[in-house]
Amino acid sequence: MPAQALTPEFVAQVPQISIETKTLFFDTDIKGFVLEARPGGATYYYRYRDANQILHMCRIGKIQSISLSDARQRAHDMHDLRKEGGDPLVECGGKRSLPLFSVFVKERYMQYAMEHKRRWTTDEVNLRLHVLPYIGFLRLDRIRKTHIIALQQDLRGKGYSPGTCNRIMSMVRFIFNQAIRWDVLAPGSNPVAGIQAYEDNGARERFLTEAEVIRLFAELEKNKNIQVGQVIKLLLYTGARKREILDARWEHIDFQRRILLVPLSKSGKPRKITLSDVAVSLLQSLPREEGIPWVFFNPKTRKPPVSIFSAWDTIRRNVGLRDVRLHDLRHSFASFLVNSGRSLYEVQKLLGHHDPKVTMRYAHLATKSLVEAVNVVGRLLPGQRKAS
């Protein structure tokens, strides 16, 4: 099989060359660029071996239908695609091409998210505003690690916090993992894998002090929005997430076992919230209305409140806690437990954390209890002298 510089002059001579059998002329400039000459005519190809060492001939076109310069450019593009890990046979129609990222998100991922994720709207917004404009036009198998790193850096360059960037990257990683689970992509082909998350030194931690809780409860006692006050108290009593309380149903409360069942938690699994004496007392004091299964409901819609932010914002401003979010009540619940000497294991179980690393954010609060713990050993060992 001869090597031949494929020049316009040579190609022009090919139809006049007496060829009895198929002959391949390999270009000396672009590896894999081939002119196949047969008695019936000549055709440009790009020849290569795939990852399984199977030989492929990707047809570019006959010499009468495509110019040498255009054929050379097509071969050059396919050669570059091979370097990037792509498959030229997809480009020339020899294989079923994978969908664009935007199409996969619309037709597969968002359908899944709407069925399985309670906060699927957050994914929809982040995809529409940040991700799809950047990689939505690329086919799933054409998205490389370099594209994802560029997306990550673009988000940070626009001023988004490390935490926000990490959450968006986590969502994109999950989408590619789903494509792998659904056999759309090959195992090990997630381009987000191995990309380091930003260090989030600015992660927000706000815990209420006992004095702040006293001020807050004093405001709740006189505030006209009684229902919101009851929700806020339960958030502090249980450490539950906001929607876990707002969406609570009477059928999911077991007063005998002192448990509030959350059928679908943030993790996608059921979880049980342990109810304290004050939480049980508060729940038992709430009025019920026949035909309404919700613990808390809007009298007009007869459904759980969509949002209580406006009422909460008024309450927190009245007591000088403008920087406190509703979610900080959950953090405060954990901080009170740790500061009273409860173990991080207990905190993990009460908050419903499946990963103990998440609970470790409260470890620095346990200094006092740790000192008391080591003093136990000191008191047990001989040689201890009482202070005079």
Side-chain angles (χ1 to χ4, degrees), residues 28 69 88 95 101 114 118 148 172 183 192 202 339 347 367 372:
T28 54
S69 60
K95 289 184 179 179
F101 183 83
M114 291 171 69
R118 298 180 65 183
I148 303 300
V172 176
D183 294 326
V192 191
N339 286 327
V347 175
T367 304
E372 292 176 354

Side-chain angles (χ1 to χ4, degrees), residues 207 235-236 238-242 244 271 325-335 350-353 362:
F207 310 108
L235 291 174
L236 269 170
T238 63
R241 299 179 179 91
K242 177 182 64 178
E244 291 175 339
R271 92 173 184 97
R325 307 166 303 174
L326 279 169
H327 195 70
D328 292 328
L329 303 182
R330 178 172 163 87
H331 292 320
S332 300
F333 171 83
S335 71
L350 290 172
L351 292 181
H353 290 160
Y362 306 111

Side-chain angles (χ1 to χ4, degrees), residues 158-225:
K158 289 178 179 177
Y160 291 102
S161 68
T164 298
C165 295
N166 292 342
R167 283 188 290 274
I168 293 175
M169 287 298 103
S170 177
M171 175 193 64
V172 176
R173 179 186 296 107
F174 180 74
I175 291 174
F176 277 102
N177 281 336
Q178 289 301 100
I180 293 171
R181 291 188 186 100
W182 297 332
D183 294 326
V184 178
L185 287 175
S189 60
N190 191 330
V192 191
I195 295 180
Q196 187 173 3
Y198 287 121
E199 186 173 351
D200 192 5
N201 292 322
R204 190 180 184 281
E205 290 184 354
R206 176 66 163 91
F207 310 108
L208 291 176
T209 65
E210 291 186 24
E212 288 173 333
V213 172
I214 292 173
R215 296 205 322 263
L216 175 59
F217 272 55
E219 171 65 22
L220 297 181
E221 291 301 321
K222 63 182 181 181
N223 193 276
K224 295 181 180 179
N225 199 325

Side-chain angles (χ1 to χ4, degrees), residues 114-378:
M114 291 171 69
E115 292 179 9
H116 295 87
K117 299 185 72 173
R118 298 180 65 183
R119 296 294 175 265
W120 63 268
T121 53
T122 301
D123 283 8
E124 190 277 329
V125 171
N126 283 330
L127 284 163
R128 174 165 45 84
L129 296 182
H130 306 304
V131 181
L132 294 183
Y134 219 91
I135 61 173
F137 59 92
L138 295 171
R139 297 193 182 279
L140 279 174
D141 57 338
R142 295 294 302 275
I143 299 173
R144 303 286 177 259
K145 197 178 294 289
T146 53
H147 295 123
I148 303 300
I149 293 174
L151 169 62
Q152 182 188 47
Q153 293 174 342
D154 180 67
L155 288 168
R156 193 73 180 103
K158 289 178 179 177
Y160 291 102
S161 68
T164 298
C165 295
N166 292 342
R167 283 188 290 274
I168 293 175
M169 287 298 103
S170 177
M171 175 193 64
V172 176
R173 179 186 296 107
F174 180 74
I175 291 174
F176 277 102
N177 281 336
Q178 289 301 100
I180 293 171
R181 291 188 186 100
W182 297 332
D183 294 326
V184 178
L185 287 175
S189 60
N190 191 330
V192 191
I195 295 180
Q196 187 173 3
Y198 287 121
E199 186 173 351
D200 192 5
N201 292 322
R204 190 180 184 281
E205 290 184 354
R206 176 66 163 91
F207 310 108
L208 291 176
T209 65
E210 291 186 24
E212 288 173 333
V213 172
I214 292 173
R215 296 205 322 263
L216 175 59
F217 272 55
E219 171 65 22
L220 297 181
E221 291 301 321
K222 63 182 181 181
N223 193 276
K224 295 181 180 179
N225 199 325
I226 298 175
Q227 185 179 84
V228 170
Q230 293 164 336
V231 171
I232 292 170
K233 288 180 180 180
L234 276 176
L235 291 174
L236 269 170
Y237 290 156
T238 63
R241 299 179 179 91
K242 177 182 64 178
R243 292 291 350 157
E244 291 175 339
I245 295 299
L246 292 180
D247 295 333
R249 300 168 67 105
W250 288 113
E251 64 193 85
H252 294 148
I253 299 177
D254 186 335
F255 284 110
Q256 185 174 359
R257 298 171 60 201
R258 303 161 69 93
I259 286 174
L260 166 61
L261 174 66
V262 179
L264 184 64
S265 68
K266 183 180 178 181
S267 67
K269 301 177 181 179
R271 92 173 184 97
K272 297 175 181 178
I273 297 175
T274 303
L275 301 173
S276 62
D277 293 342
V278 287
V280 168
S281 178
L282 190 156
L283 287 168
Q284 289 178 333
S285 71
L286 299 179
R288 301 194 194 188
E289 189 166 327
E290 187 176 354
I292 297 181
W294 315 104
V295 175
F296 298 103
F297 61 92
N298 184 315
K300 295 181 180 179
T301 65
R302 301 173 71 84
K303 293 183 178 180
V306 175
S307 173
I308 61 170
F309 174 77
S310 180
W312 163 248
D313 191 43
T314 300
I315 291 169
R316 67 178 180 175
R317 289 172 182 271
N318 288 345
V319 291
L321 300 175
R322 297 179 61 177
D323 64 325
V324 178
R325 307 166 303 174
L326 279 169
H327 195 70
D328 292 328
L329 303 182
R330 178 172 163 87
H331 292 320
S332 300
F333 171 83
S335 71
F336 290 136
L337 288 172
V338 174
N339 286 327
S340 65
R342 312 312 303 191
S343 70
L344 289 177
Y345 174 79
E346 291 173 301
V347 175
Q348 176 192 345
K349 294 302 179 183
L350 290 172
L351 292 181
H353 290 160
H354 289 276
D355 187 350
K357 293 180 182 178
V358 179
T359 318
M360 286 303 294
R361 74 174 69 178
Y362 306 111
H364 69 282
L365 301 173
T367 304
K368 180 180 178 181
S369 60
L370 291 175
V371 171
E372 292 176 354
V374 295
N375 279 337
V376 169
V377 178

